[in-house]
Amino acid sequence: MRAWQAWGMAVQINPSILSADFARLADEAKAVSGADWLHVDVMDNHFVPNLTLGVPVVESLARATDTPLDCHLMIEAPDRWAPQYVEAGAGSVTFHAEAAAAPVRLAREIRAKGARASMALKPATPIEPYEDLLPELDMLLVMTVEPGFGGQAFLDIMLPKIRRTRELISKHGLELWLQVDGGVSAATIERCAEAGADVFVAGSAVYGASDPDEAVRALRAQAESATAAASWACDH
């Protein structure tokens, strides 16, 4: 067992159903049975300029698959709405730092209801002001595109931010997952892993493949290989 596996870190691949066929969501969920989570993008056409899924669809999807749901709320007033997604069946709920009025209270409420609490940062939002909040979270999401639309090109300028976030996680000795979302593909996942990410959201790279489940396996293998050689992982 490699050192980075021994201390509890494991690469996770979360296909984004934003890139799936919305008319066949149950089938699309089954097409990625090897995934760790299904990433569900919730957009309200206010916080981001797009409108996608809501609580009723999450409820239906939770009944249709055994894969846990990772709900990313790109919405206004997550303090009001996030707990409903836990009640709908989400195993992890991510709110945006830029939208939450009381992020610590919200994270604690999500956890109290039985889900993992996660906070997301837009590309222009620095991690440093939120260092003291990290112990309240189960996952931190660094957006590697501007939120709101799938299929965008990966922003390489986010790699230093991923590294800084991993350094803060290590500094405090936290078992905090570090997720990246946006433009993650075979061409970019190794750089993300080397920088410190361990949870990878992939949309078109998975659902645009002829065999989505094989795409999940291939991405996992790439990320595991890059992590094994990464300096941050070798330090543990």
Side-chain angles (χ1 to χ4, degrees), residues 110-125:
I110 291 170
R111 281 175 157 181
K113 286 183 173 291
R116 295 179 64 86
S118 171
M119 186 172 73
L121 304 177
K122 288 183 176 182
T125 303

Side-chain angles (χ1 to χ4, degrees), residues 103-113 117 136:
V104 171
R105 184 175 62 197
L106 179 55
R108 290 181 178 181
E109 185 174 3
I110 291 170
R111 281 175 157 181
K113 286 183 173 291
E136 300 288 342

